[in-house]
Amino acid sequence: MTTEQLVAQIHKKKSFLCIGLDVDLAKIPEHLLQEEDPIFAFNKQIIDATHHLCVAYKPNTAFYEAYGIKGWMALEKTIKYLNTNYPEIFTIADAKRGDIGNTSTMYAKAFFEDLAFDSVTIAPYMGKDSVEPFLAFKNKHTILLALTSNAGAFDYQTKLVDGKELYKQVLETSKAYKGAENLMYVVGATKAEYLSEIRQIIPESFLLVPGVGAQGGNLADVCKFGMSSNVGLLINSSRGIIYAGADLNFADSAAEKALELQQQMQIELEKLS
Amino acid sequence: MTTEQLVAQIHKKKSFLCIGLDVDLAKIPEHLLQEEDPIFAFNKQIIDATHHLCVAYKPNTAFYEAYGIKGWMALEKTIKYLNTNYPEIFTIADAKRGDIGNTSTMYAKAFFEDLAFDSVTIAPYMGKDSVEPFLAFKNKHTILLALTSNAGAFDYQTKLVDGKELYKQVLETSKAYKGAENLMYVVGATKAEYLSEIRQIIPESFLLVPGVGAQGGNLADVCKFGMSSNVGLLINSSRGIIYAGADLNFADSAAEKALELQQQMQIELEKLS
């Protein structure tokens, strides 16, 4: 999917919501545990109930790997279901991968070719030659971790390197990577005040913003400081949506929560025009 | 496996060799492609031919994920084969994972419980709360990326943060993590001269050293600067060993290359006593 197609979907749906499919068998409605593939059964119902309210889904691979082969089969079924039934949806493999050149190419093949995701999240620690192999894939997007939403973000990411915070160094240096037009960035919503400085470095790049909801960020603040002329934001909510209900109507409960966020996003989008 | 058991194996086998099982279907002997599971068939023969010459095997997960479900099944079969037939071998999932707290716990379950690896490699960018969930597992080891062996290592890892290189900050701060006794570190052999400074920060921790061989590091230098009183080194070779031959006798060719390294290691170990 191209960035232009993503932006068009945002305007059409009046939403820049991304729903995180972080499926934990200990948290899904009990009646689903009878299904042959409870994880996929859960995802399918969530997707069917919310796809008109969001523009992206983001399965975090950890939650699938934890269940071994069965988990990977559920991940494969989920992405196939999305690509077949809702091809207008932008798909994100939240995998936080990163390795040396030829190995990163293997990861890129895994997520862009074998699983056919539109994008994958990548950790920047190993530098340029660990990221560029992902950028070589046309109309695929590499979402680089810049500033994360956890407490540990302050351990290294906000430390000064040559007088500038490490996460800003990541933004600055990655702009010059070959294929940089395919870059997006993870920026945690718990630090909305940082967004205006980030926009000075990367005025137009899309930002994937976790931490609205369970991790506690404020949607209006994120939009005020982070929205670009082409929107430039995907705001993720995982647990706040998918675990909104635990009974037979869990998917409707999820849709209600998604609708609340979509309606707030519609107001923010109207400010743009 | 405990660190003491690993050290005992090193002295028994007179080897601190780790063999990287980075299996690329485009590089394995052609006759194996007829097998039902060519990746596992390759690994099995390599393992049977080399297990007495090394103390560890390290599959890089990228090479398995690239083949989807079949790849994960090959990874699962490989680790099960190792744990069943050669339980004295230290196993490393070279996965370079890392995510926020509850998600890191899911990754830890995937590699320590579901697949039953002894250790996993982890990227440090997200800080303390992304690493500590791994350290909570008893007799399991977390191998943190410090200084990698690729060109991109100089992008951020060697940059000064508060007057000290970032990779040294990673070493210093991680020493204080809860469960730090379960930490090991990745340090690339292409920078053997850094090892003496690293040993001032972490005198006894085990270092996983890639880059001897294909990436061009020198074994004697690595030992001179990096060996500790309890050896403290696992030196990895992947392509240099596993792709030493491409015919029916490929496993024997791999064993020859592994023997060369083991013999050099024996000389280095004799210097210790």
Side-chain angles (χ1 to χ4, degrees), chain A residues 61 107 125 128 146 155-156 173, chain B residues 61 107 125 128 146 155-156 173:
Chain A
T61 53
Y107 277 130
Y125 191 74
K128 181 176 172 172
D155 288 1
Y156 311 118
T173 52
Chain B
T61 53
Y107 277 130
Y125 191 73
K128 180 176 172 172
D155 288 2
Y156 310 119
T173 53

Side-chain angles (χ1 to χ4, degrees), chain B residues 146-262:
Chain B
L147 186 61
T148 57
S149 58
N150 61 321
F154 298 101
D155 288 2
Y156 310 119
Q157 296 167 26
T158 56
K159 290 280 161 67
L160 294 182
V161 176
D162 295 339
K164 195 174 277 185
E165 292 91 340
L166 177 59
Y167 78 90
K168 288 187 187 168
Q169 296 281 4
V170 169
L171 297 174
E172 289 277 9
T173 53
S174 62
K175 277 167 65 177
Y177 288 174
K178 195 178 174 201
E181 67 277 9
N182 294 330
L183 275 174
M184 300 182 173
Y185 298 92
V186 172
V187 178
T190 43
K191 292 121 190 160
E193 68 273 22
Y194 290 142
L195 283 166
S196 53
E197 290 178 46
I198 287 170
R199 278 300 180 208
Q200 287 174 22
I201 305 172
I202 43 161
E204 292 294 333
S205 302
F206 257 83
L207 308 179
L208 173 62
V209 185
V212 173
Q215 294 164 55
N218 181 299
L219 179 67
D221 277 353
V222 170
C223 293
K224 183 178 166 191
F225 297 114
M227 201 175 261
S228 72
S229 61
N230 74 344
V231 188
L233 291 174
L234 287 172
I235 293 195
N236 183 75
S237 177
S238 302
R239 286 165 283 171
I241 291 178
I242 67 173
Y243 298 132
D247 58 15
L248 282 170
N249 301 316
F250 73 95
D252 294 336
S253 306
E256 275 172 39
K257 288 288 174 190
L259 180 63
E260 280 174 28
L261 280 167
Q262 183 274 323

